[in-house]
Amino acid sequence: MAEVEELLEGVPVRLAPAQAVRARGERRRARQRLGGAAVVVVAAVAVGVGSWAAQSPPRDTPPAATRTENPFVVGGVVRLLPANSVAYFKTRAWTADAVTSDSAGLPSVGLDGVCGGTVGADPAAGQQFARTYTGKGGARARHRIAEYADSGLAQDAIRGMDHRLAQCGVRQTGEGGGDRPWVQYAGTTGDGTQLRVSLERAGAWVSVVEIQFAARS
């Protein structure tokens, strides 16, 4: 009784009869046993659900997203590179020429007669867009984007450029596949001009970036 009095700061407490106390104790133990059993059941259910989730694939999961957008046309506008996005901008300080479109189609390659480049539309292409750039030391660059009727014709144009570049001594230096296959070339043509070419295809669209400068410029 001392512990109860100390805990309650002297407030008199009337204890229930012993039989009532024992009955309450039995009821409390029964509730504890029932609660413990419920916890075990919940735990078992949780383990079972966790095991099922680990072994079964999730439902209603959307398939992996595929990149079907055209990186060369955004909002209906063809994205020709601004001068400061063309490679070697720090050393060549490119400026876009006043005329931002010409009719040089694929597989023609090279500017100012380099690599046998000629001006002329590609009859296999639908839409063709181009921008040329002038840089320090007589460097030239061009970005072209062409749309074809299908991806097969676009790939044919790339093969044609590959053949044309090989003829003037410019070789492939890298390539990649996937939904946007790309190819890069580098070399020196017979007249000493260094030529760098990057091609990328997205479906029936092809993007070509050419950069050329004299070997010692």
Side-chain angles (χ1 to χ4, degrees), residues 10-212:
V11 177
V13 177
R14 178 175 298 178
L15 298 178
Q19 184 175 2
V21 172
R22 285 195 297 272
R24 291 177 183 174
E26 290 295 335
R27 288 196 295 271
R28 184 180 298 109
R29 284 191 291 272
R31 286 194 299 270
Q32 290 174 347
R33 286 194 298 269
L34 181 59
V39 170
V40 172
V41 171
V42 170
V45 170
V47 171
V49 170
S51 301
W52 175 84
Q55 297 174 6
S56 303
R59 295 185 178 185
D60 301 326
T61 300
T66 56
R67 292 169 57 186
T68 58
E69 71 275 13
N70 183 352
F72 313 132
V73 180
V74 177
V77 178
V78 175
R79 298 182 62 185
L80 291 169
L81 292 173
N84 61 3
S85 293
V86 179
Y88 302 101
F89 175 75
K90 289 184 177 180
T91 57
R92 297 296 167 174
W94 302 110
T95 57
D97 294 339
V99 178
T100 59
S101 182
D102 64 18
S103 58
L106 283 59
S108 176
V109 62
L111 294 96
D112 304 326
V114 171
C115 200
T118 57
V119 176
D122 182 355
Q127 302 184 76
Q128 300 176 73
F129 308 87
R131 176 177 292 164
T132 55
Y133 314 82
T134 300
K136 292 181 178 179
R140 297 296 308 280
R142 177 170 57 184
H143 182 204
R144 290 181 286 172
I145 294 176
E147 179 191 18
Y148 292 82
D150 55 55
S151 59
L153 289 175
Q155 191 60 40
D156 288 343
I158 292 176
R159 292 192 189 97
M161 288 199 69
D162 182 89
H163 180 68
R164 181 71 62 87
L165 287 164
Q167 286 182 325
C168 59
V170 180
R171 304 298 179 182
Q172 181 177 316
T173 58
E175 65 176 335
D179 56 353
R180 293 184 192 171
W182 57 270
V183 189
Q184 291 183 335
Y185 303 84
T188 303
T189 65
D191 63 357
T193 301
Q194 291 187 18
L195 187 59
R196 305 285 186 270
V197 179
S198 300
L199 295 95
E200 185 178 5
R201 180 175 65 81
W205 290 77
V206 178
S207 169
V208 182
V209 178
E210 303 155 84
I211 298 172
Q212 61 184 56

